[in-house]
């Protein structure tokens, strides 16, 4: 019996099966990476949207008249709690890489300081208020830059939140 055709057939089959396994594994890795990016994009979008809406809500509540300082503080803290920032933050802690988590936590604490400042009586657009908002803007720009890097998206050429002038209006460069 001639063994050469049998060995050739077995070798061909082994190569075919091996290449199929390698191709399937590579395809699975690509799909897994795409799914991971999609999930992080969803988590990042939820977080940045929550941050933006919460900031607008805090400012609006601080500008509104309240019967007392205590009620103002209660309304602001309740808005912070009810904003969904806690859930968005926890999702971030579970999904995002460490640099993004750290940057998001910085934005979270900036918003907490804004909330507490308003609750303690800080006037909207006062120098102290502008400084807190500027710190939030810097932290948010860093957060977005890191998110974009993680997602493989190029850098932005401008800030999302413009610098403010002395009156609290967007500064014109």
């Amino acid at each position: 019996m001639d063994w050469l055709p049998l060995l050739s057939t077995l070798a061909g089959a082994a190569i075919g099966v091996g290449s199929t396994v390698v191709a399937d594994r590579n395809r699975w890795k690509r799909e897994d990476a795409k799914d991971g990016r999609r999930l992080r994009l969803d988590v990042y979008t939820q977080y940045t949207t929550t941050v933006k809406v919460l900031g607008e809500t805090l400012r609006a509540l601080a500008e509104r008249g309240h019967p007392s300082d205590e009620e103002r503080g209660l309304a602001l803290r309740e808005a912070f709690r009810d904003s969904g920032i806690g859930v968005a933050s926890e999702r971030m802690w579970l999904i995002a890489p460490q640099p993004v988590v750290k940057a998001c936590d910085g934005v979270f604490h900036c918003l907490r300081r804004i909330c507490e400042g308003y609750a303690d009586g800080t006037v909207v657009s006062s120098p102290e208020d502008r400084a807190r908002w500027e710190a939030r803007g810097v932290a948010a720009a860093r957060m977005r830059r890191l998110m974009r890097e993680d997602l493989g998206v190029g850098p932005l050429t401008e800030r999302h939140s413009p610098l403010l002038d002395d009156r609290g209006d967007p500064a014109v460069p």
Side-chain angles (χ1 to χ4, degrees):
M1 177 168 166
D2 191 9
W3 290 97
L4 190 57
L6 179 60
L7 290 175
S8 296
T9 302
L10 287 175
I15 290 170
V17 168
S19 63
T20 300
V21 167
V22 169
D24 285 348
R25 181 168 166 75
N26 287 340
R27 188 174 16 261
W28 175 80
K29 281 183 175 181
R30 279 192 308 274
E31 287 300 315
D32 194 43
K34 266 172 63 175
D35 290 345
R37 271 192 308 276
R38 274 191 216 111
L39 176 60
R40 289 191 315 279
L41 175 61
D42 289 345
V43 170
Y44 294 172
T45 302
Q46 179 193 16
Y47 193 81
T48 56
T49 302
T50 301
V51 162
K52 186 174 185 86
V53 171
L54 175 56
E56 291 168 358
T57 301
L58 291 175
R59 186 179 288 260
L61 281 171
E63 289 176 328
R64 189 177 303 157
H66 297 276
S68 69
D69 291 343
E70 291 79 27
E71 287 191 29
R72 176 183 175 163
L74 273 167
L76 286 157
R77 289 181 183 109
E78 184 178 342
F80 196 95
R81 255 190 330 275
D82 293 346
S83 69
I85 191 85
V87 171
S89 181
E90 288 302 317
R91 289 187 79 205
M92 192 66 65
W93 278 89
L94 293 172
I95 298 299
Q98 183 64 31
V100 175
V101 169
K102 202 170 179 183
C104 292
D105 200 42
V107 172
F108 177 91
H109 289 292
C110 285
L111 285 168
R112 173 63 76 191
R113 283 189 288 278
I114 289 168
C115 178
E116 290 304 318
Y118 287 152
D120 291 340
T122 298
V123 177
V124 173
S125 295
S126 67
E128 185 179 10
D129 183 44
R130 285 196 312 274
R132 286 188 183 117
W133 279 101
E134 182 57 26
R136 194 218 51 93
V138 169
R142 179 174 180 270
M143 173 189 71
R144 285 188 185 95
R145 180 182 52 80
L146 290 168
M147 287 174 171
R148 292 175 66 85
E149 284 175 12
D150 180 48
L151 295 171
V153 180
L156 289 173
T157 56
E158 62 185 54
R159 275 182 66 155
H160 188 268
S161 302
L163 295 171
L164 301 178
D165 65 15
D166 292 337
R167 292 184 312 276
D169 298 322
V172 179

